[in-house]
């Protein structure tokens, strides 16, 4: 997996999204304001679907162009740059970060803010290599309480 | 033996019952969140904050204003409709703004999702025009529109909301050939009016009252009575209904709670809100803002919703 | 003119004679710096908390507003600190500063980078004040007479600047722009309310909250991308860094880029609805494109810090114009300040300057005074910020993730923007891996709605007549300029390949 191959995949995915947009933009029709006359909504030949359609079509063209350019460059033959071992570790850390953050946000509406934030911070500190569990815990709890005071108590965020 | 125990048992039972008594018995005992479905600094938000300040004198708990914006107010309305019915999450919005959201979108809530505490601030929706357009009244506007079809522009602050319904209703009632152009919010409408970019615009009073006072903007019509306005010269402008255009539109801003809220909680909340709405402090705010506040009790407030609903239904049917 | 000078003086008098006011400005600015430096905590959030407090304390209107003004100015400077030290901006306005601020800090000159940020912010704040005060009537007229067709053209002009942020060939840059434009169409159409791409999800009806997208791109994506930096001993930590305030002659050397940035900031701030959030990027792009060695940008060029910072502080002066002459807010913070004025019984609107000139000029004086206070507080508290922000990333990153979550949540007091931020975090990370800059996407999201809503509004108000876009010499000229810029970009691309 290298940069160019990833870009190729991203471009293909974008083509898919743009095509999907073209197909689904019409779904908005029945949510338009019932109080506006039809001709008032499409003055100048443009209505609510014109701009999205334009963007989607241009995107498809541009991404196809990009795909062609990348294939011409034979993207999949480029060498990997960093050591395999290090990259796997970083990738795993990145994935773990993403998943843990997602879990944190999913749990937030159900569990007390200070508790779940403290646990999240504690886990993340350990994940990133801080081994002094006592220090981790203290900072995690202190930070969570500070956040609670500033964002929930003072700012009345209903988290 | 058992007889001796009875008093203790009774006391114990009573104590147990008190421990399990509903928390509302001591309502309010924790902060109340008042949800305002509009951006901070806007008309409804300002009235809400003034009301909250007045409410602070009649209760010990903190009352916090939460601005929950989006979807023409629907996001905030929905949040309260689905909130726990314990009286700690209340809605502050205008009747026609809620009806506007209901009449355009498919919502998970409706008028029966709420209990109505009461209305605290009524103002009609008025029609404004820049003085340089030389339009003296709605009759004048209609005549000019008939003389020059599809040229005059009547602006609305949103494409689907109370103001838009008023535009559509006026057009249906007068069959006058003017164009209805929706703007993107009160800010945009204000700019268009001040820049003289439309012939007339519909916006909730008392927005642009300072400009009316200074003469830059003229009030050419109103959807309701202006008798309570703090600016004397406009009080005599007759509502559209009395000028031959049977369209009524105004906004009565008030407090609502989720439908399942127990009656005693609603009662206590009503007392607090009523006292605040009738307080001297709120009255002074109202005068400064533009209108003398009026308290509308819960039942009458709900009736107002139902009555205004007719206008919205009629407008939709006419399209 | 002499009357204006008199008003300016009386404004200053009103602002400083009561010691409470001065105290409030200092407190507000300090608070603003901290709020700005915290990713996720923004100026409108802080001001909306202060509003009921000041109302309850029955402070006089001018005192409450001076406090808010201090916060407003402080956040624009504070937002650059984490942008420079961690590549994650504290406020949306500070995002562009990271482009050159972070590389400069990476080279071990973080003190200098922050010094430039403070200098730029101060210059912009003062410049914005000067323009606002001198040109308030002119700018007010321009703002009120701006028509949708003008705004649409300005938006398009801003979009052509995207070429400055493209790494590699133009195709990738354009892809980014159009992704942003397409994302910007999600939500209710501005002109008829049709809900595009919402698939029944109510929250999507409001579109993608811009602040959440920014937090995702520049907060979470940065964390994900920089995980490889955790544990590595970077030059930042090993060097003992203190603030290095640029000498005065450096100010003279860079006056051009700071002036351009400030002009952009003031003008864009003065015309509501033109997408002020994009002004820092557009200013940066203009300065970069004009430069003899544009490759310096993105590597730690001082202009790359000075331009956006002066732009975002000049914005404050700009937004004062529509706020005080028309009663129309330019951004969230001024919207709340206007609400405060109404609560206090001051009638904002066209009559404010005429009826309460002392208040108006006191507020403007507050802007200038707060900027100066910001300079000194920024200077003296800088070591404290640097110390905090230079801790091991293993400590900072989790905190940034929590702050990003809170910040996104505060967009609408619900979890929806948080998921938006997460999604954009992943998207930003993937793009970063491909080597594609996300800035064009950001510009597309900001300017897309501006262009579309205004272009359609222009057509609607002119009954579908397309010639409205060229009917004034100004617009025709702008469109010509846009055409020229596009042509030159295409030419450059062909030359490259």
């Amino acid at each position: 997996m290298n940069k160019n191959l990833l870009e190729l995949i991203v471009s293909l995915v974008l083509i898919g999204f743009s095509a999907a947009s073209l197909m689904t933009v019409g779904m908005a029709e029945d949510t338009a304001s019932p109080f506006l006359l039809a001709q008032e909504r499409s003055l100048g030949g443009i209505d609510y679907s014109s701009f999205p359609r334009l963007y989607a079509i241009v995107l498809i063209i541009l991404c196809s162009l990009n795909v062609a350019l990348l294939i011409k460059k034979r993207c999949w033959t480029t060498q990997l740059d960093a050591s395999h071992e290090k990259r796997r570790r970083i990738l795993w850390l990145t994935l773990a970060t993403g998943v843990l953050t997602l879990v944190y946000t999913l749990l937030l509406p159900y569990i007390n803010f200070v508790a779940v934030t403290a646990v999240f911070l504690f886990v993340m500190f350990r994940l990133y290599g801080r081994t002094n569990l006592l220090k981790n815990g203290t900072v995690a709890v202190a930070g969570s309480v500070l956040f609670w005071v500033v964002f929930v108590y003072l700012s009345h965020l209903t988290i | 033996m058992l007889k001796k125990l009875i008093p203790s048992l009774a006391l114990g039972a009573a104590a147990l019952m008190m421990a399990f008594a509903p928390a509302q018995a001591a309502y309010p005992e924790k902060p109340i969140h008042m949800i305002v479905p509009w951006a901070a600094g806007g008309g409804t938000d300002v009235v809400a904050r003034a009301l909250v300040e007045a409410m602070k004198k009649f209760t010990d708990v903190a009352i916090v204003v939460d601005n929950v914006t989006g979807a023409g107010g629907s996001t905030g309305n929905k949040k309260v409709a689905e909130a726990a019915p314990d009286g700690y999450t209340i809605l502050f919005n205008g009747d026609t703004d809620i009806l506007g959201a209901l009449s355009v979108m498919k919502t998970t809530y409706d008028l029966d999702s709420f209990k109505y505490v009461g209305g605290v601030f009524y103002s009609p929706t008025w029609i404004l025009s820049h003085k340089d357009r030389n339009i003296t009244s709605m009759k004048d506007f209609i005549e000019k529109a008939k003389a020059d079809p599809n040229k005059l522009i009547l602006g609305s602050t949103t494409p689907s909301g109370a103001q838009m319904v008023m535009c559509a209703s006026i057009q249906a009632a007068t069959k006058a050939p003017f164009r209805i152009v929706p703007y993107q919010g009160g800010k945009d409408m204000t700019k268009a009016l001040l820049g003289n970019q439309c012939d007339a615009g519909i916006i909730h009073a008392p927005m642009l009252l300072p400009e009316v006072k200074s003469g830059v903007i003229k009030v050419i019509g109103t959807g309701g009575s202006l008798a309570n306005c703090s600016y004397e010269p406009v009080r005599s402008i007759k509502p559209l209904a009395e000028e031959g255009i049977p369209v009524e539109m105004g906004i009565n801003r008030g407090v609502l709670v989720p439908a399942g809220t127990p009656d005693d909680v609603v009662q206590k909340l009503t007392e607090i809100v009523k006292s605040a709405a009738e307080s001297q402090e709120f009255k002074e705010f109202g005068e400064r803002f533009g209108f003398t506040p009026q308290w509308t009790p819960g039942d009458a407030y709900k009736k107002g919703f139902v009555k205004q609903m007719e206008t919205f239904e009629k407008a939709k049917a006419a399209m | 003119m002499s009357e204006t000078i008199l008003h300016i003086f009386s404004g200053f008098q009103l602002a400083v004679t009561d010691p409470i006011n001065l105290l409030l400005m200092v407190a507000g600015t300090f608070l603003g710096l901290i709020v700005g430096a915290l990713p996720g905590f923004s100026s409108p959030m802080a001001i909306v908390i202060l509003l009921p407090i000041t109302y309850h304390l029955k402070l006089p209107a001018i005192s409450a507003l001076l406090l808010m003004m201090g916060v407003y100015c402080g956040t624009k400077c504070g937002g650059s600190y984490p942008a420079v030290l961690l590549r994650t901006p504290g406020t949306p306005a500070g995002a562009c500063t990271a482009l050159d601020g972070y590389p400069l800090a990476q080279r071990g000159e973080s003190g200098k980078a922050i010094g430039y940020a403070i200098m730029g912010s101060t210059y912009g704040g003062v410049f914005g004040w000067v323009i606002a005060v001198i040109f308030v009537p002119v700018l007010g007229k321009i703002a009120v007479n701006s028509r949708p067709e003008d705004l649409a053209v300005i938006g398009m002009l801003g979009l052509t600047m995207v070429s400055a942020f493209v790494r590699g060939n133009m195709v990738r840059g354009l892809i980014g722009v159009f992704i942003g434009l397409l994302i910007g169409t999600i939500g209710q159409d501005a002109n008829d309310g049709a809900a595009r791409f919402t698939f029944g999800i109510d929250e999507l009806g409001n579109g993608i909250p811009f602040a959440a997208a920014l937090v995702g791109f520049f907060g979470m994506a940065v964390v994900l991308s920089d995980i490889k930096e955790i544990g590595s001993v970077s030059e930042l930590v090993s060097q003992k860094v203190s603030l290095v305030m640029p000498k005065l002659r450096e100010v003279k050397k860079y006056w051009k880029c700071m002036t351009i940035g400030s002009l952009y900031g003031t003008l864009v701030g003065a015309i509501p609805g033109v997408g002020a959030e994009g002004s820092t990027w557009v200013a940066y792009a203009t300065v970069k494109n004009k430069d003899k060695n544009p490759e310096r940008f993105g590597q730690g060029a001082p202009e790359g810090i000075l331009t956006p910072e002066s732009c975002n502080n000049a914005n404050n002066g700009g937004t004062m114009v529509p706020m005080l002459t028309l009663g129309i807010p330019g951004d969230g913070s001024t919207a709340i300040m206007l609400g405060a004025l109404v609560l206090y019984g001051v009638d904002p609107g066209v009559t404010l300057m005429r009826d309460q000139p002392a208040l108006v000029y006191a507020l403007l004086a507050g802007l200038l005074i707060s900027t100066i206070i910001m300079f000194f507080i920024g200077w003296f508290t800088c070591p404290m910020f640097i110390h905090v922000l230079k801790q091991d990333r293993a400590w900072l990153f989790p905190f940034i993730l929590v702050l990003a979550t809170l910040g996104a949540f505060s967009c609408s007091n619900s979890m929806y923007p948080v998921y938006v931020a997460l999604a954009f975090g992943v998207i930003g990370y993937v793009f970063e891996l491909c080597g594609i800059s996300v800035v064009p996407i950001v510009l597309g999201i900001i300017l897309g709605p501006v262009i579309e809503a205004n272009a359609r509004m222009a057509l609607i108000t002119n009954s579908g007549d397309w010639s409205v876009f060229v009917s004034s010499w100004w617009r025709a000229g702008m469109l010509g300029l846009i055409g020229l810029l596009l042509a030159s970009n295409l030419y450059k691309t062909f030359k490259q390949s």
Side-chain angles (χ1 to χ4, degrees), chain A residues 30-37 40 43 155-158, chain B residues 33 64 66 79 104 159-160 164-165 179-180 182 316 319:
Chain A
D30 30 325
T31 54
S33 168
F35 305 110
L36 274 171
L37 296 165
E40 283 278 347
L43 280 168
S155 323
H156 301 294
L157 232 53
T158 52
Chain B
H33 283 260
V64 177
D66 286 335
K79 187 160 183 183
V104 177
S160 42
M164 188 63 190
V165 168
R179 295 184 54 218
I180 302 176
K316 233 166 128 173
M319 296 306 298

Side-chain angles (χ1 to χ4, degrees), chain A residues 75-132:
Chain A
C75 52
W76 53 85
T77 58
T78 321
Q79 294 293 9
L80 294 154
D81 23 326
S83 86
H84 219 56
E85 178 70 45
K86 190 166 170 221
R87 296 191 64 173
R88 287 193 74 205
R89 180 179 167 268
I90 292 175
L91 210 62
W92 141 248
L93 269 180
T94 314
L95 193 65
T97 305
V99 169
L100 282 169
T101 312
L102 181 64
V103 170
Y104 168 61
T105 56
L106 288 172
L107 289 176
L108 263 179
Y110 302 106
I111 308 182
N112 176 277
F113 171 74
V114 178
V116 68
T117 306
V119 169
F120 174 70
L121 286 173
F122 182 71
V123 171
M124 295 305 285
F125 292 146
R126 183 63 192 88
L127 180 72
Y128 289 153
R130 313 263 9 155
T131 47
N132 185 343

